[in-house]
């Protein structure tokens, strides 16, 4: 028995078993959205395309982006939004995306009762965004943004998303188009917008009025979150079911204890699908032991 334990220890030191996985979080009913925004373009997120320059800040609180607990090495890589269009226009915009973790779950209000934007955070994507709305006439479509620089995220914090769309000239707006994003009913006040035909949100943020957000400055201050899909990758260390960063005999014990008691305390379920099927069972215990012995 002592020899067997020694073999397990050597295996634990040598084994890494890391892999990267992609998963998605829905905010709102992303795949079956029903509620289109039809109010003022001041309150339309993530953009409205009606004006040459728009910006938005959105707070995705921890209660909205759940299911990531116990996942290590998380990186936000995709942001998708659903919209509906009855427009025949082609849109060109220079887009920028900024992300940051914040402790706040709502926008601050100063002593004068004025809501405040946050600093933008880390620039993770920028480039020209082209969309021909003629191709999407009368259909639900996706406004998709891919992060060029993946953003490291730790579950438990709010995710602040800042998105800026700028036309290449101040006259490139679509005042006659019929475009609307789907929104999340009941999740109001988690977004604020900026709109202008003359000044970018970046320039506004460098001016004397920032971080104030008022209607006279072209801002919407009580905006509902758009229906959103957040794509992220995470590291999975197959077999590290107790989450201590290594694969060892202690994980065999933790896996057996979980199967016997069902107690999830200190148990990293994502790493417990050892044989990569859809359930956790005694077969995973066998695979884990075989993995450890194979590394001796």
């Amino acid at each position: 028995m002592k020899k067997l334990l020694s073999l397990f220890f050597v295996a634990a030191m040598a084994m890494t078993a890391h892999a990267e996985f992609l998963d998605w979080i829905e905010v709102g009913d992303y795949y079956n959205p029903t509620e289109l925004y039809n109010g003022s373009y001041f309150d339309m997120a993530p953009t409205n395309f009606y004006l040459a320059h728009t910006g938005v800040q959105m707070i995705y609180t921890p209660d909205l982006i759940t299911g990531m607990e116990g996942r290590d090495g998380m990186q936000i890589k995709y942001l998708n939004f659903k919209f509906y269009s009855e427009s025949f226009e082609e849109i060109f915009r220079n887009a920028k995306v900024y992300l940051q973790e914040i402790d706040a779950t709502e926008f601050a209000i100063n002593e004068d009762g004025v809501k405040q934007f946050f600093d933008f955070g880390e620039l993770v994507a920028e480039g020209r965004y082209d969309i021909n709305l003629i191709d999407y006439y009368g259909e639900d479509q996706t406004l998709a943004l891919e992060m060029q620089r993946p953003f490291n995220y730790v579950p438990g914090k709010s995710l602040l998303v800042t998105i800026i769309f700028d036309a290449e000239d101040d006259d490139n707006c679509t005042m006659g188009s019929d475009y609307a994003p789907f929104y999340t009913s009941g999740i109001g006040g988690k977004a604020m917008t900026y709109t202008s035909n003359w000044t970018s949100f970046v320039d506004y943020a460098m001016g004397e009025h920032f971080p104030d957000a008022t209607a006279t400055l072209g801002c919407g201050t009580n905006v509902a979150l758009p229906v959103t899909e957040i794509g992220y990758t995470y590291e999975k260390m197959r077999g590290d079911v107790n989450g201590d960063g290594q694969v060892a005999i202690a994980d065999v014990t933790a896996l057996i204890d979980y199967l016997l008691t069902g107690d999830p305390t200190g148990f990293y379920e994502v790493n417990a699908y050892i044989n990569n099927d859809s359930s956790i069972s005694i077969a995973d215990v066998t695979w884990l032991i075989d993995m450890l012995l194979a590394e001796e």
Side-chain angles (χ1 to χ4, degrees), residues 22 60 84 89 92 119 134 141 159 173 242 268 279-280:
L22 175 65
Y60 294 89
Y84 179 85
E89 299 185 66
F92 303 95
D119 292 334
I134 299 174
Q141 291 296 327
L159 178 67
C173 53
N242 66 358
Y268 281 59
S279 64
I280 301 173

Side-chain angles (χ1 to χ4, degrees), residues 77-80 97 124-126 144-149:
K77 292 192 175 181
Y78 303 97
L79 291 171
N80 296 332
V97 181
V124 295
E126 60 183 324
L145 300 172
E146 180 176 356
M147 308 304 103
Q148 297 158 336
R149 292 172 286 280

Side-chain angles (χ1 to χ4, degrees), residues 16 55 77-78 131-132 167 172 176 295:
T16 55
K77 292 192 175 181
Y78 303 97
I131 180 169
N132 191 341
N172 188 353
E295 294 291 328

Side-chain angles (χ1 to χ4, degrees), residues 154-176:
V154 178
K157 295 276 191 176
S158 294
L159 178 67
L160 179 73
V161 177
T162 303
I163 303 176
I164 298 168
F165 287 97
D166 289 318
E168 295 177 335
D169 61 78
D170 293 344
D171 295 323
N172 188 353
C173 53
T174 59
M175 296 296 289

